Amino acid sequence: MTIVLGIESSCDETGIGIVRIESDGALTLLADEVASSVDQHARFGGVVPEVASRAHLEALVPSVTRAFESASLELSDVDAIAVTCGPGLAGALLVGVSAAKAYAAALNVPLYGANHLPGHVAADTLEHGPLPSPCLALLVSGGHTQLLRVDDLATKITEVGSTIDDAAGEAYDKVARILGLPYPGGPPIDKAARRGNPDAIRFPRGLTGPRDARFDFSFSGLKTAVARWVEARDGQEIPVDDVAASFQEAVADVLTAKAVRAATELGVGTMVVSGGVAANSRLSTLAAQRCAEAGITLRVPRPRLCTDNGAMIAALGAHLVKAGVRPSSLDLSAGPGLPVGTVSV
Ligand code: KG4
Ligand code: ZN
């Protein structure tokens, strides 16, 4: 049995996860501690990098202590350490990477610099077991919107499509601001949308024309369309629930239509949806419906595993250990723009 410690600090969540690789290769989640600085960013309407870095510095060691307490383990039980080394905010990543190096040197265990994006996919293996090869991952978060072909979680991931402008979560956050809803915008829009009529306003579906890039996304036109619609009301009361529902319908429609088309054209039978926006109620319902129609098996991890956390990095670390991937050297650095195909550094 092998114990893997995972450290995540790429954005505004300090995540510490502990995963055990059982003798049959199965993964067991032993601890999942998350300290979020989201409240400190709320009044700015987005993550402030310097504030996030300082919050990571304060939260990291106490979160590690809590994780080991909840797993009833000691630091000396750790056999390997995985840390998010990119992509993300440079200063925030450096806090996690520096801590991981210190723990790895002190404990004399291998260190794996891991990519945050495959980490989101690895989170699902904690809940639903090994992924079939190949599978398609739809990654939807505040910073990323991507379609990935996953042949091997530890070694072979290929980008099939991505957003050419805003990420899906970013669109939620910006539209929430337009509607006077709090940050982060996903949960309050999701809640308002459940009361509204999704057919009230027909907002544009970006990049869905016949000549548009098949698997790429665009959400900035949608955000602008919502802003124009609200402006045109010229001081009259805004039907927030209907705008939220119609916006949410446009996002869920485009994401699921493109993902199902990609899976079908690539001949892939399983789809994983992960990242913060995967917690969205309409996205999961529509994805389930369209995947069922197309004969595709859908996997969505529980919401806590969808948003940023350390368990997903511990899980990816466990896959790297199992695949026999070479550990990182102790001069590992943060890679804010790390490409998704580089699973470990
Ligand atoms: O994966 P995540 O926790 O952090 C990043 O790596 O970005 O995703 C955060 C994003 C935010 O933009 C937030 O508004 C969005 O996920 N989000 C949602 C929901 N819950 C969180 N978007 C839509 N519906 C939700 N229920
Ligand atoms: Zn993320």
Side-chain angles (χ1 to χ4, degrees), residues 250-299:
V251 174
D253 182 18
V254 174
L255 288 173
T256 54
K258 291 220 169 193
V260 168
R261 190 161 87 180
T264 307
E265 288 190 20
L266 297 171
V268 173
T270 298
M271 186 195 301
V272 182
V273 186
S274 192
V277 184
N280 185 261
S281 60
R282 182 61 185 146
L283 178 61
S284 43
T285 306
L286 197 55
Q289 187 188 320
R290 290 184 170 169
C291 281
E293 282 163 12
I296 296 163
T297 304
L298 176 67
R299 297 174 41 150

Side-chain angles (χ1 to χ4, degrees), residues 8 10-11 116-117 120 141-142 144 275-276 306-308 312:
E8 155 64 33
S10 65
C11 192
H116 179 85
L117 303 173
H120 273 298
S141 73
H144 298 274
C306 282
T307 49
D308 287 352
M312 68 189 217

Side-chain angles (χ1 to χ4, degrees), residues 116-132:
H116 179 85
L117 303 173
H120 273 298
V121 187
D124 185 68
T125 65
L126 291 172
E127 191 168 346
H128 299 122
L131 282 166

